mmCIF file of all heavy atoms in Angstrom:
data_model
loop_
_atom_site.group_PDB
_atom_site.id
_atom_site.type_symbol
_atom_site.label_atom_id
_atom_site.label_comp_id
_atom_site.label_asym_id
_atom_site.label_seq_id
_atom_site.Cartn_x
_atom_site.Cartn_y
_atom_site.Cartn_z
ATOM 1 N N GLU R 36 147.414 43.162 85.239
ATOM 2 C CA GLU R 36 148.077 44.373 85.702
ATOM 3 C C GLU R 36 148.593 44.266 87.084
ATOM 4 O O GLU R 36 149.768 44.560 87.463
ATOM 5 C CB GLU R 36 147.306 45.630 85.440
ATOM 6 C CG GLU R 36 147.918 46.833 85.700
ATOM 7 C CD GLU R 36 147.096 48.079 85.361
ATOM 8 O OE1 GLU R 36 146.337 48.089 84.408
ATOM 9 O OE2 GLU R 36 147.112 49.095 86.186
ATOM 10 N N LYS R 37 147.625 43.811 87.980
ATOM 11 C CA LYS R 37 147.948 43.770 89.377
ATOM 12 C C LYS R 37 149.038 42.612 89.571
ATOM 13 O O LYS R 37 149.937 42.831 90.410
ATOM 14 C CB LYS R 37 146.704 43.431 90.173
ATOM 15 C CG LYS R 37 146.886 43.349 91.709
ATOM 16 C CD LYS R 37 145.637 43.172 92.374
ATOM 17 C CE LYS R 37 145.739 43.328 93.854
ATOM 18 N NZ LYS R 37 144.491 43.024 94.638
ATOM 19 N N ALA R 38 148.905 41.478 88.959
ATOM 20 C CA ALA R 38 149.958 40.461 89.013
ATOM 21 C C ALA R 38 151.280 40.878 88.571
ATOM 22 O O ALA R 38 152.360 40.603 89.247
ATOM 23 C CB ALA R 38 149.545 39.231 88.312
ATOM 24 N N GLY R 39 151.385 41.754 87.528
ATOM 25 C CA GLY R 39 152.562 42.303 86.984
ATOM 26 C C GLY R 39 153.136 43.300 88.012
ATOM 27 O O GLY R 39 154.370 43.286 88.264
ATOM 28 N N ASN R 40 152.324 44.093 88.687
ATOM 29 C CA ASN R 40 152.865 44.968 89.702
ATOM 30 C C ASN R 40 153.438 44.289 90.861
ATOM 31 O O ASN R 40 154.488 44.631 91.487
ATOM 32 C CB ASN R 40 151.701 45.921 90.259
ATOM 33 C CG ASN R 40 151.280 46.927 89.181
ATOM 34 O OD1 ASN R 40 152.077 47.165 88.233
ATOM 35 N ND2 ASN R 40 150.100 47.480 89.344
ATOM 36 N N GLN R 41 152.783 43.057 91.248
ATOM 37 C CA GLN R 41 153.441 42.357 92.374
ATOM 38 C C GLN R 41 154.754 41.738 92.051
ATOM 39 O O GLN R 41 155.673 41.759 92.806
ATOM 40 C CB GLN R 41 152.343 41.219 92.753
ATOM 41 C CG GLN R 41 151.199 41.724 93.456
ATOM 42 C CD GLN R 41 150.192 40.610 93.783
ATOM 43 O OE1 GLN R 41 150.231 39.492 93.107
ATOM 44 N NE2 GLN R 41 149.266 40.867 94.673
ATOM 45 N N ASP R 42 154.928 41.330 90.783
ATOM 46 C CA ASP R 42 156.096 40.817 90.278
ATOM 47 C C ASP R 42 157.256 41.906 90.386
ATOM 48 O O ASP R 42 158.337 41.619 90.700
ATOM 49 C CB ASP R 42 156.087 40.253 88.919
ATOM 50 C CG ASP R 42 157.199 39.328 88.490
ATOM 51 O OD1 ASP R 42 157.602 38.419 89.343
ATOM 52 O OD2 ASP R 42 157.738 39.573 87.432
ATOM 53 N N ASP R 43 156.916 43.112 89.922
ATOM 54 C CA ASP R 43 157.760 44.215 89.946
ATOM 55 C C ASP R 43 158.220 44.540 91.329
ATOM 56 O O ASP R 43 159.422 44.806 91.656
ATOM 57 C CB ASP R 43 157.229 45.512 89.327
ATOM 58 C CG ASP R 43 157.028 45.308 87.837
ATOM 59 O OD1 ASP R 43 157.675 44.474 87.203
ATOM 60 O OD2 ASP R 43 156.223 46.121 87.286
ATOM 61 N N GLU R 44 157.326 44.458 92.352
ATOM 62 C CA GLU R 44 157.662 44.733 93.669
ATOM 63 C C GLU R 44 158.597 43.676 94.287
ATOM 64 O O GLU R 44 159.521 43.945 95.040
ATOM 65 C CB GLU R 44 156.276 44.692 94.577
ATOM 66 C CG GLU R 44 155.503 45.949 94.337
ATOM 67 C CD GLU R 44 154.081 45.809 95.039
ATOM 68 O OE1 GLU R 44 154.014 45.104 96.124
ATOM 69 O OE2 GLU R 44 153.190 46.511 94.683
ATOM 70 N N LEU R 45 158.353 42.345 93.898
ATOM 71 C CA LEU R 45 159.331 41.318 94.337
ATOM 72 C C LEU R 45 160.662 41.546 93.743
ATOM 73 O O LEU R 45 161.649 41.446 94.394
ATOM 74 C CB LEU R 45 158.790 40.038 93.858
ATOM 75 C CG LEU R 45 157.488 39.423 94.701
ATOM 76 C CD1 LEU R 45 156.980 38.196 94.016
ATOM 77 C CD2 LEU R 45 157.839 39.264 96.119
ATOM 78 N N LYS R 46 160.738 41.962 92.454
ATOM 79 C CA LYS R 46 162.031 42.159 91.794
ATOM 80 C C LYS R 46 162.813 43.227 92.544
ATOM 81 O O LYS R 46 164.029 43.211 92.793
ATOM 82 C CB LYS R 46 161.894 42.561 90.339
ATOM 83 C CG LYS R 46 161.558 41.427 89.451
ATOM 84 C CD LYS R 46 161.436 41.899 88.018
ATOM 85 C CE LYS R 46 161.154 40.783 87.063
ATOM 86 N NZ LYS R 46 160.984 41.162 85.723
ATOM 87 N N GLU R 47 162.020 44.283 92.901
ATOM 88 C CA GLU R 47 162.677 45.380 93.569
ATOM 89 C C GLU R 47 163.235 45.061 94.990
ATOM 90 O O GLU R 47 164.279 45.431 95.394
ATOM 91 C CB GLU R 47 161.603 46.561 93.788
ATOM 92 C CG GLU R 47 162.239 47.872 94.250
ATOM 93 C CD GLU R 47 161.295 49.057 94.239
ATOM 94 O OE1 GLU R 47 160.532 49.076 93.384
ATOM 95 O OE2 GLU R 47 161.353 49.794 95.226
ATOM 96 N N ARG R 48 162.506 44.205 95.703
ATOM 97 C CA ARG R 48 162.962 43.733 96.969
ATOM 98 C C ARG R 48 164.239 42.919 96.918
ATOM 99 O O ARG R 48 164.989 42.847 97.738
ATOM 100 C CB ARG R 48 161.828 42.888 97.655
ATOM 101 C CG ARG R 48 160.659 43.650 98.109
ATOM 102 C CD ARG R 48 159.593 42.795 98.708
ATOM 103 N NE ARG R 48 158.381 43.585 99.003
ATOM 104 C CZ ARG R 48 157.255 43.104 99.128
ATOM 105 N NH1 ARG R 48 157.031 41.788 99.005
ATOM 106 N NH2 ARG R 48 156.197 43.823 99.400
ATOM 107 N N ALA R 49 164.330 42.144 95.772
ATOM 108 C CA ALA R 49 165.457 41.314 95.541
ATOM 109 C C ALA R 49 166.700 42.009 94.982
ATOM 110 O O ALA R 49 167.807 41.316 94.857
ATOM 111 C CB ALA R 49 165.119 40.072 94.635
ATOM 112 N N LEU R 50 166.616 43.288 94.601
ATOM 113 C CA LEU R 50 167.656 43.949 93.917
ATOM 114 C C LEU R 50 168.991 43.928 94.659
ATOM 115 O O LEU R 50 170.104 43.824 94.122
ATOM 116 C CB LEU R 50 167.281 45.451 93.603
ATOM 117 C CG LEU R 50 166.481 45.706 92.413
ATOM 118 C CD1 LEU R 50 166.020 47.190 92.300
ATOM 119 C CD2 LEU R 50 167.175 45.177 91.167
ATOM 120 N N VAL R 51 168.922 44.083 95.998
ATOM 121 C CA VAL R 51 170.112 44.023 96.830
ATOM 122 C C VAL R 51 170.927 42.675 96.524
ATOM 123 O O VAL R 51 172.211 42.724 96.738
ATOM 124 C CB VAL R 51 169.764 44.269 98.350
ATOM 125 C CG1 VAL R 51 169.044 42.999 98.905
ATOM 126 C CG2 VAL R 51 170.998 44.526 99.194
ATOM 127 N N LEU R 52 170.212 41.693 96.218
ATOM 128 C CA LEU R 52 170.902 40.505 95.883
ATOM 129 C C LEU R 52 171.281 40.324 94.323
ATOM 130 O O LEU R 52 172.449 39.954 94.105
ATOM 131 C CB LEU R 52 170.026 39.189 96.273
ATOM 132 C CG LEU R 52 169.536 39.151 97.756
ATOM 133 C CD1 LEU R 52 168.613 38.061 97.940
ATOM 134 C CD2 LEU R 52 170.812 38.970 98.714
ATOM 135 N N THR R 53 170.318 40.616 93.508
ATOM 136 C CA THR R 53 170.508 40.387 92.089
ATOM 137 C C THR R 53 171.537 41.327 91.511
ATOM 138 O O THR R 53 172.220 41.041 90.498
ATOM 139 C CB THR R 53 169.228 40.471 91.354
ATOM 140 O OG1 THR R 53 168.580 41.803 91.473
ATOM 141 C CG2 THR R 53 168.220 39.293 91.668
ATOM 142 N N GLU R 54 171.745 42.472 92.104
ATOM 143 C CA GLU R 54 172.799 43.451 91.670
ATOM 144 C C GLU R 54 174.130 43.150 92.242
ATOM 145 O O GLU R 54 175.152 43.832 91.922
ATOM 146 C CB GLU R 54 172.331 44.911 91.939
ATOM 147 C CG GLU R 54 171.155 45.359 91.127
ATOM 148 C CD GLU R 54 170.786 46.748 91.441
ATOM 149 O OE1 GLU R 54 171.130 47.260 92.535
ATOM 150 O OE2 GLU R 54 170.020 47.291 90.659
ATOM 151 N N ASN R 55 174.329 42.200 93.176
ATOM 152 C CA ASN R 55 175.550 41.862 93.728
ATOM 153 C C ASN R 55 176.115 40.705 92.976
ATOM 154 O O ASN R 55 175.748 39.616 93.128
ATOM 155 C CB ASN R 55 175.301 41.490 95.296
ATOM 156 C CG ASN R 55 176.657 41.124 95.921
ATOM 157 O OD1 ASN R 55 177.555 40.610 95.458
ATOM 158 N ND2 ASN R 55 176.620 41.529 97.253
ATOM 159 N N GLU R 56 177.194 40.965 92.268
ATOM 160 C CA GLU R 56 177.833 40.037 91.320
ATOM 161 C C GLU R 56 178.388 38.744 92.089
ATOM 162 O O GLU R 56 178.361 37.692 91.660
ATOM 163 C CB GLU R 56 178.859 40.571 90.451
ATOM 164 C CG GLU R 56 178.286 41.488 89.454
ATOM 165 C CD GLU R 56 179.393 42.173 88.555
ATOM 166 O OE1 GLU R 56 180.539 41.702 88.533
ATOM 167 O OE2 GLU R 56 179.094 43.235 87.863
ATOM 168 N N ASP R 57 179.062 39.095 93.215
ATOM 169 C CA ASP R 57 179.625 38.049 94.099
ATOM 170 C C ASP R 57 178.516 37.174 94.548
ATOM 171 O O ASP R 57 178.704 35.889 94.525
ATOM 172 C CB ASP R 57 180.430 38.602 95.287
ATOM 173 C CG ASP R 57 181.722 39.338 94.706
ATOM 174 O OD1 ASP R 57 182.242 38.943 93.672
ATOM 175 O OD2 ASP R 57 182.101 40.252 95.404
ATOM 176 N N PHE R 58 177.380 37.677 95.096
ATOM 177 C CA PHE R 58 176.321 36.838 95.579
ATOM 178 C C PHE R 58 175.775 35.916 94.410
ATOM 179 O O PHE R 58 175.450 34.758 94.575
ATOM 180 C CB PHE R 58 175.183 37.715 96.060
ATOM 181 C CG PHE R 58 173.930 36.862 96.401
ATOM 182 C CD1 PHE R 58 173.828 36.067 97.461
ATOM 183 C CD2 PHE R 58 172.851 36.884 95.480
ATOM 184 C CE1 PHE R 58 172.752 35.334 97.696
ATOM 185 C CE2 PHE R 58 171.714 36.052 95.599
ATOM 186 C CZ PHE R 58 171.654 35.292 96.827
#
Side-chain angles (χ1 to χ4, degrees):
E36 184 177 320
K37 187 174 181 181
N40 289 342
Q41 288 176 342
D42 194 52
D43 290 343
E44 289 174 22
L45 289 175
K46 283 181 183 178
E47 190 172 322
R48 290 178 187 157
L50 278 178
V51 69
L52 301 173
T53 58
E54 290 181 343
N55 183 324
E56 291 179 16
D57 292 333
F58 170 79

